[in-house]
Amino acid sequence: MLDTLVTSKTRIKLLLKFFLNSRTRGYLRHLESEFGESTNAIRLELNKFEKAGMLRSSNEGNKKVFKANTTHPLFPEVQAIVRKYVGIDKIIEKVVGRVGDLQLACLVGDYARGLDTGTLEFLLVGRDLDEDYLGNLASKAESMIQRTISFSIMNSETFEASALADTDCLVLWES
């Protein structure tokens, strides 16, 4: 759907990079190697997003680092569209009510870093979560959203003791 509305593949990659996880930051050369595209194409799109106020930049040494402008009036809507494009909204909606004592659902891995690799990795924190239900749901959702889904389960004590609690865990739902 998004690729029908937005015809620039570079623009879609930047939307995923910066709006799926608003904490994601990037600079031109890193984005070039990450996306496998020319710096000119990426620079043009970054400049358009910055001019529109959707991205902010700052200088760190000799690098111009970009990140999403979370105060922009359209930020919540753009982020919701990107999450719908990826299919996260459908998955969380199904999981929350029926999986057991779910306390936290996080997106981890490549998508949490803003990379569209085709595999959604979820971390679910809770007690007595129904792994059979999750496995069935994942296989149904994969065909619906055209992405591979994997999940890991932790109890709250293990999660809080892990480094994930402070880093690459994009919280999608919390009780």
Side-chain angles (χ1 to χ4, degrees), residues 95-163:
V95 167
V96 169
R98 301 183 55 193
V99 74
D101 185 14
L102 182 66
Q103 297 162 352
L104 183 71
C106 293
L107 183 64
V108 295
D110 289 338
Y111 276 97
R113 291 186 291 277
L115 301 175
D116 186 5
T117 59
T119 300
L120 289 168
E121 299 173 60
F122 293 96
L123 171 63
L124 305 175
V125 179
R127 287 174 285 167
D128 302 320
L129 301 182
D130 187 344
E131 291 188 50
D132 291 333
Y133 171 73
L134 287 168
N136 288 333
L137 178 64
S139 60
K140 288 178 187 176
E142 284 176 343
S143 63
M144 197 167 61
I145 66 169
Q146 305 300 310
R147 286 174 171 73
T148 304
I149 298 171
S150 69
F151 62 89
S152 301
I153 297 174
M154 285 186 181
N155 63 41
S156 57
E157 294 80 23
T158 305
F159 175 72
E160 289 175 16
S162 74

Side-chain angles (χ1 to χ4, degrees), residues 37-53:
E37 296 190 24
S38 74
T39 55
N40 285 340
I42 297 168
R43 182 183 298 111
L44 284 171
E45 296 299 335
L46 286 169
N47 289 340
K48 288 177 186 176
F49 276 122
E50 188 175 30
K51 186 176 179 180

Side-chain angles (χ1 to χ4, degrees), residues 30-107:
H30 183 260
L31 294 170
E32 175 191 30
S33 64
E34 194 174 290
F35 294 171
E37 296 190 24
S38 74
T39 55
N40 285 340
I42 297 168
R43 182 183 298 111
L44 284 171
E45 296 299 335
L46 286 169
N47 289 340
K48 288 177 186 176
F49 276 122
E50 188 175 30
K51 186 176 179 180
M54 298 297 294
L55 291 180
R56 288 186 173 167
S57 67
S58 61
N59 291 319
E60 293 180 11
N62 63 347
K63 296 175 188 159
K64 186 175 183 180
V65 179
F66 293 88
K67 67 179 187 172
N69 178 3
T70 57
T71 62
H72 191 282
L74 293 177
F75 175 81
E77 285 81 6
V78 172
Q79 187 175 52
I81 289 170
V82 169
R83 287 184 176 186
K84 284 179 182 173
Y85 169 73
V86 172
I88 294 171
D89 62 322
K90 292 178 186 175
I91 296 165
I92 295 301
E93 183 180 298
K94 295 280 186 190
V95 167
V96 169
R98 301 183 55 193
V99 74
D101 185 14
L102 182 66
Q103 297 162 352
L104 183 71
C106 293
L107 183 64

